[in-house]
Amino acid sequence: MSDYGFEDTTYKAVGGYDGLVKLVDDFYEAMDTLPEAKRIRDMHPSDLEVTKDKLVYFLSGWMGGPRIYPEKYGRGLSLPMAHQHLKITAEDAKAWLTCMKAALDKHDFPDDFKAYLLEQLAFPANRIHQVSQMKHGHAD
Ligand code: HEM
């Protein structure tokens, strides 16, 4: 197993800032097209420019690269807090990860890197789902 969690190895493996911009573009393109992602696409504003930028800036630091989100957006971000206004089910968390898988599959990344990243992203995705359940009292 490669040591992608070490320092900025994940950030470098994704291709740095430019790689992240491409990945996030493909991620939202998948969300725009995959039928199982329609519900989560509809939670977003129709113009995705700012959301895309925020995800790029957030993932930069999350992947061990430059912590540029607070610099640009004024303060750090708690993922559960940033999503607490949304009712996010387990299916929604799964759909989010499916979009990310589709985006990763469009690129020439090593398979172990794709598997590592999806495994790591499942943690915040599940946490966001759990906090939404507690907040909104839904069972799914
Ligand atoms: C669990 C499934 C998820 C769903 C359904 C979801 C949905 C959304 C939606 C609808 C927005 C836009 C909110 C708005 O404009 O009001 C958003 C923003 C955002 N999401 Fe997610 N998201 C999920 C998981 C994740 C994960 C796993 C990450 C990061 C690893 C993430 C990172 C972000 C970031 C950084 C923003 C911008 C927040 C801000 O700056 O206010 N999301 N998400």
Side-chain angles (χ1 to χ4, degrees):
M1 186 70 200
S2 304
D3 201 3
Y4 288 116
F6 180 68
E7 294 183 347
D8 63 352
T9 39
T10 297
Y11 180 74
K12 284 193 177 131
V14 86
Y17 179 81
D18 292 343
L20 261 180
V21 170
K22 284 201 196 88
L23 184 69
V24 168
D25 264 341
D26 290 334
F27 169 75
Y28 273 110
E29 199 190 303
M31 202 185 282
D32 261 334
T33 42
L34 294 177
E36 66 265 48
K38 185 178 184 315
R39 218 188 90 83
I40 63 173
R41 175 62 183 92
D42 288 347
M43 294 178 193
H44 288 78
S46 54
D47 183 347
L48 290 170
E49 203 185 309
V50 176
T51 313
K52 277 185 183 177
D53 193 62
K54 285 178 163 177
L55 187 55
V56 167
Y57 273 66
F58 175 81
L59 288 176
S60 174
W62 188 84
M63 290 182 174
R67 298 192 170 273
I68 52 181
Y69 183 96
E71 259 170 45
K72 182 160 184 184
Y73 289 105
R75 60 189 165 88
L77 181 80
S78 145
L79 283 178
M81 293 274 280
H83 294 82
Q84 64 170 350
H85 59 297
L86 302 166
K87 184 188 165 202
I88 295 176
T89 65
E91 280 297 304
D92 296 332
K94 202 171 140 200
W96 194 99
L97 291 166
T98 301
C99 294
M100 192 52 87
K101 182 175 184 320
L104 286 166
D105 283 343
K106 279 186 98 179
H107 297 263
D108 220 4
F109 297 124
D111 284 346
D112 68 339
F113 176 65
K114 293 196 269 192
Y116 169 82
L117 202 57
L118 287 171
E119 210 178 274
Q120 293 304 309
L121 285 168
F123 291 107
N126 292 333
R127 182 79 193 129
I128 289 166
H129 162 232
Q130 282 167 1
V131 171
S132 168
Q133 266 186 331
M134 286 189 282
K135 175 103 189 156
H136 299 279
H138 57 96
D140 47 354

